[in-house]
Amino acid sequence: MLSVSRVGQHCFLSTPAKRVVRRGVAARASAAMEKVNFGSGYGYEVGPKNAPAVVVIQEWWGVNDIIKEHAQLISEKGGFRCIIPDLYKGKVGVDKEEASHLMNNLDFKAAVGEVTDAVKYLRSSGSSKVGCVGFCMGGALTFAAAQHAGVDCAAPFYGIPDPAICDPASIKVPVQAHFGEKDTMKGFSDPESIHKVVDKMKAAGVPVELFMYPGSGHAFMNGLTEQGRAKIKEIGQAEPPESEPKEAFDRLIAFFKQHLA
């Protein structure tokens, strides 16, 4: 299995939202988000304080406008309270080299601790149930959050954790995983690797479901938003079929409504 710390050379993008989103959503998302402190870290929050909550874990770029769109749209479409822990403490990678440097310097065990603190904050301030979603690097951390952070459910997208931070077969909460059939990131998010992980989870009795998207490669959720599609073109990655990111997003919202209501 590919170490999380080595995924920087591959981990390009990740974004959940809705296909019809316009650029104005990014500005609205940033304006609507409140900076909050919790335990060992801080992050950005949106949505009603008494609603079920979702921790949205950044990908390797950091807390940029795209991940804020993620949280805003999950909140809007599902009625959830969302929080993005800022694992890079305000730093954002503007290119692949900088993003790789930031991610490779991240203490992943400490990052899981920050996610745990975010979950405790949400529960103590009005949210009775808390889920988690993340993409690429954040997907790997979402598996870890499912085991260690006290969430009620988790939805990892195209990211498998290093054994040093998570044993997916030991997870006890519902998991809905989303991966692309055309993902070539061997050992981290390719079809063969995730099928092996999920088979072990099922054998251990973990309540897990895996959705594979035949026309999509790595980071296919970027195809949902205008900013995400622009980022795909910027790095020269193939855009996924229009229907698959939307289908994944609809499944994500239904999953959270099922387990967090």
Side-chain angles (χ1 to χ4, degrees), residues 47-112:
K49 294 286 187 182
N50 61 347
V54 177
V55 179
V56 182
I57 304 181
Q58 67 182 66
E59 28 121 23
W60 78 329
W61 301 108
V63 180
N64 59 11
D65 285 343
I66 295 174
I67 198 69
K68 288 179 179 180
E69 283 185 333
H70 299 176
Q72 179 73 32
L73 286 158
I74 292 170
S75 179
E76 287 181 355
K77 303 305 177 183
F80 299 112
R81 176 188 186 190
C82 292
I83 191 168
I84 310 169
D86 191 341
L87 302 179
Y88 290 167
K89 303 298 181 287
K91 296 179 180 179
V92 177
V94 296
D95 54 35
K96 289 186 289 186
E97 290 73 22
E98 187 174 2
S100 178
H101 175 75
L102 288 168
M103 188 189 67
N104 289 332
N105 284 318
L106 181 66
D107 182 333
F108 281 88
K109 289 185 178 180
V112 174

Side-chain angles (χ1 to χ4, degrees), residues 4 108-109 112 140-141 143-145 147-148 160-167:
V4 173
F108 281 88
K109 289 185 178 180
V112 174
L141 285 169
F143 272 110
Q147 182 181 2
H148 301 297
I160 297 170
D162 189 281
I165 63 168
C166 177
D167 172 16

Side-chain angles (χ1 to χ4, degrees), residues 10-212:
H10 305 288
C11 188
F12 296 154
L13 307 168
S14 48
T15 304
K18 193 165 173 57
R19 186 75 189 184
V20 295
V21 172
R22 301 292 185 263
R23 289 190 183 275
V25 172
R28 188 169 79 251
S30 294
M33 303 204 93
E34 174 190 2
K35 185 176 179 179
V36 294
N37 296 306
F38 52 81
S40 58
Y42 68 88
Y44 299 90
E45 180 181 341
V46 65
K49 294 286 187 182
N50 61 347
V54 177
V55 179
V56 182
I57 304 181
Q58 67 182 66
E59 28 121 23
W60 78 329
W61 301 108
V63 180
N64 59 11
D65 285 343
I66 295 174
I67 198 69
K68 288 179 179 180
E69 283 185 333
H70 299 176
Q72 179 73 32
L73 286 158
I74 292 170
S75 179
E76 287 181 355
K77 303 305 177 183
F80 299 112
R81 176 188 186 190
C82 292
I83 191 168
I84 310 169
D86 191 341
L87 302 179
Y88 290 167
K89 303 298 181 287
K91 296 179 180 179
V92 177
V94 296
D95 54 35
K96 289 186 289 186
E97 290 73 22
E98 187 174 2
S100 178
H101 175 75
L102 288 168
M103 188 189 67
N104 289 332
N105 284 318
L106 181 66
D107 182 333
F108 281 88
K109 289 185 178 180
V112 174
E114 287 191 35
V115 173
T116 303
D117 285 344
V119 172
K120 292 177 179 177
Y121 159 75
L122 291 165
R123 290 193 190 280
S124 67
S125 56
S127 298
S128 59
K129 291 189 176 182
V130 182
C132 184
V133 63
F135 307 84
C136 190
M137 181 191 88
L141 285 169
T142 296
F143 272 110
Q147 182 181 2
H148 301 297
V151 296
D152 294 290
C153 62
F157 280 73
Y158 35 81
I160 297 170
D162 189 281
I165 63 168
C166 177
D167 172 16
S170 296
I171 292 170
K172 305 299 182 185
V173 300
V175 174
Q176 184 186 82
H178 302 262
F179 285 71
E181 290 280 6
K182 294 184 176 180
D183 197 320
T184 59
M185 290 177 54
K186 188 70 175 175
F188 182 72
S189 54
D190 65 288
E192 181 181 1
S193 296
I194 187 56
H195 278 295
K196 287 180 179 178
V197 170
V198 170
D199 286 347
K200 289 180 181 179
M201 293 172 73
K202 288 181 176 179
V206 180
V208 58
E209 56 184 342
L210 171 64
F211 291 101
M212 301 296 300

Side-chain angles (χ1 to χ4, degrees), residues 230-259:
K231 195 69 173 176
I232 287 174
K233 292 179 181 178
E234 178 186 319
I235 66 162
Q237 189 145 332
E239 189 169 348
E242 182 175 345
S243 61
E244 292 185 356
K246 183 183 184 302
E247 184 178 24
F249 183 72
D250 290 343
R251 284 170 171 162
L252 175 69
I253 295 299
F255 175 73
F256 283 147
K257 286 185 175 181
Q258 178 185 354
H259 295 290

